[in-house]
């Protein structure tokens, strides 16, 4: 069995991000195989970096706290990373993981036990290349900025890699900061923010303002979805501000599947700040009869 990540870094389960970072710095320097010549130095170094990659990331740490190591195991069933999906684009192939239960904690590379190259993590943390050797990154990493809408629906982009133009396909549902492995390189995807939609994992959240009169009497309103379509939802009579309505299956698609998260609509009542004399009379009449 794998050792607990908190034990690997020698920190408590309620350790702060700064405590985790300090412990990683100390242990990574201690066990780097170019500095430590012990027979098990490289394995320990990999384990330290694997633990840091999880515990330094808010979402990954949350997944680990809930499900343990199975959160990142592609063969671990309903709490694991789900299945690995492979896409072919001409001569290029890229693979990523997607959880069967809609977990936003999938999408890890599968080298070094399901995580990225530990020497890359070390170099990214300390800056520049390893201070112990001229060890080079095994696969170069490039960044690509796409819009929120492109991430939700998938997009094909033409990029320049080492002076060559290449067309690459970004799968629908890709998340901000997720990395796709091609044959020759990694692609780190930066997803832009949206003015209407907010995303948490595969779920989408929006705020819908409705007039005071509609909250009192009830009715139907239209709300946008990430597919580009609008849906009509019923607002019940007497709806309170802050009420959340769940739209099943209207969230982000899980990459490589036909399954979607949900959309949550938070109702906010727009109370008018200025009223006409007629509106004031109507409200006074409502107040007089106990409404």
């Amino acid at each position: 069995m794998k050792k607990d990540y908190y034990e690997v870094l020698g920190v408590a389960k309620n350790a702060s991000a700064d405590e985790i970072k300090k412990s990683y710095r100390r242990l990574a320097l201690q066990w780097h195989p170019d500095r430590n010549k012990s027979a098990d130095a490289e394995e320990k170094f990999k384990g330290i970096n694997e633990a840091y990659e999880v515990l330094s990331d808010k979402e990954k740490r949350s997944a680990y706290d809930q499900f343990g190591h199975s959160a990142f195991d592609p063969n671990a069933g309903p709490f694991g990373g789900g299945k690995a999906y492979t896409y072919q684009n001409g001569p290029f192939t890229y693979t990523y993981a997607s959880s069967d239960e809609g977990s936003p904690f999938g999408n890890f590379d599968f080298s070094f036990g399901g995580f990225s190259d530990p020497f890359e993590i070390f170099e990214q943390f300390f800056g520049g290349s390893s201070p112990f050797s001229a060890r080079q990154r095994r696969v170069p990493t490039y960044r690509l900025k796409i819009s929120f809408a492109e991430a939700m629906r998938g997009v094909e982009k033409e990029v320049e890699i080492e002076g060559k133009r290449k067309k690459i396909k970004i799968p629908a549902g890709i998340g901000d900061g997720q990395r796709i492995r091609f044959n020759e390189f990694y692609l780190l995807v930066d997803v832009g923010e949206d003015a209407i939609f907010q995303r948490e994992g595969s779920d989408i959240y929006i705020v819908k303002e409705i007039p005071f009169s509609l909250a009192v009497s009830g009715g139907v309103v239209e709300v946008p979805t990430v597919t580009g379509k609008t849906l009509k939802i019923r607002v019940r009579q007497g709806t309170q501000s802050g009420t959340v309505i769940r739209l099943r299956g209207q969230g982000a698609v899980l990459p490589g599947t036909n399954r979607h998260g949900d959309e949550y609509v938070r109702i906010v009542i727009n109370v008018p700040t200025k009223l006409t004399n007629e509106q004031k009379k109507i409200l006074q009449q409502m107040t007089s009869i106990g409404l």
Side-chain angles (χ1 to χ4, degrees):
M1 293 180 62
K2 280 190 174 183
K3 194 173 180 180
D4 182 87
Y5 285 148
Y6 291 98
E7 291 184 20
V8 171
L9 293 185
V11 296
K13 290 194 174 182
N14 61 350
S16 67
D18 188 54
E19 289 172 330
I20 290 171
K21 185 181 293 186
K22 286 180 179 178
S23 183
Y24 168 74
R25 178 185 291 274
R26 175 178 57 82
L27 292 170
L29 288 170
Q30 177 184 346
W31 289 101
H32 194 289
D34 291 330
R35 182 180 187 183
N36 191 314
K37 300 305 179 181
S38 301
D40 59 347
E42 185 161 352
E43 283 304 313
K44 286 192 175 183
F45 181 70
K46 291 177 182 179
I48 291 164
N49 280 275
E50 181 177 312
Y52 179 72
E53 182 171 0
V54 171
L55 299 186
S56 63
D57 183 283
K58 185 177 179 181
E59 290 187 345
K60 293 179 186 178
R61 184 178 180 181
S62 176
Y64 178 72
D65 287 343
Q66 293 181 67
F67 307 123
H69 293 293
S70 61
F72 312 104
D73 183 353
N75 301 307
F79 301 114
K83 300 176 181 178
Y85 295 91
T86 300
Y87 281 76
Q88 185 73 35
N89 179 26
F92 308 108
T93 302
Y94 58 98
T95 304
Y96 61 94
S98 179
S99 168
D100 287 338
E101 286 298 311
S103 167
F105 311 113
N107 299 45
F108 307 118
D109 305 307
F110 284 92
S111 57
F112 295 97
F115 295 85
S116 46
D117 188 335
F119 294 98
E120 288 186 14
I121 301 172
F122 183 90
E123 291 174 11
Q124 290 167 5
F125 183 89
F126 288 96
S129 59
S130 169
F132 305 120
S133 72
R135 187 189 302 268
Q136 298 297 315
R137 292 185 179 180
R138 302 182 182 185
V139 181
T141 300
Y142 301 93
R143 302 183 77 102
L144 177 66
K145 178 80 173 181
I146 63 175
S147 69
F148 185 88
E150 289 173 332
M152 291 299 96
R153 302 168 198 172
V155 65
E156 183 176 284
K157 291 283 189 179
E158 185 172 299
V159 297
E160 184 171 323
I161 302 294
E162 296 180 354
K164 298 179 180 179
R165 304 297 296 180
K166 302 180 187 293
K167 286 187 177 180
I168 57 174
K169 291 182 179 179
I170 307 298
I174 193 76
D176 181 49
Q178 291 183 337
R179 189 169 67 166
I180 302 172
R181 172 72 182 266
F182 289 77
N183 283 343
E184 303 163 315
F185 57 90
Y186 287 109
L187 186 66
L188 186 64
V189 180
D190 293 324
V191 179
E193 295 183 355
D194 190 86
I196 298 174
F197 302 106
Q198 288 188 334
R199 180 179 180 181
E200 290 187 14
S202 59
D203 293 328
I204 299 296
Y205 295 81
I206 70 168
V207 173
K208 179 64 179 180
E209 288 192 357
I210 63 172
F212 175 76
S213 58
L214 180 61
V216 173
S217 60
V220 175
V221 295
E222 292 187 342
V223 295
T225 68
V226 292
T227 64
K229 298 180 180 179
T230 57
L231 294 179
K232 291 183 178 181
I233 62 172
R234 180 166 295 280
V235 177
R236 294 181 179 179
Q237 180 178 327
T239 291
Q240 302 296 305
S241 189
T243 296
V244 176
I245 299 173
R246 180 184 184 183
L247 304 179
R248 292 183 179 273
Q250 296 301 320
V253 65
L254 301 177
T257 76
N258 292 320
R259 299 183 60 187
H260 293 70
D262 300 324
E263 179 172 322
Y264 293 88
V265 182
R266 182 171 178 267
I267 300 297
V268 174
I269 299 173
N270 186 3
V271 179
T273 56
K274 294 182 180 180
L275 297 173
T276 64
N277 290 332
E278 184 178 357
Q279 289 171 332
K280 290 179 181 179
K281 288 181 181 178
I282 293 173
L283 286 176
Q284 289 171 352
Q285 290 174 355
M286 292 173 64
T287 302
S288 67
I289 61 176
L291 292 178

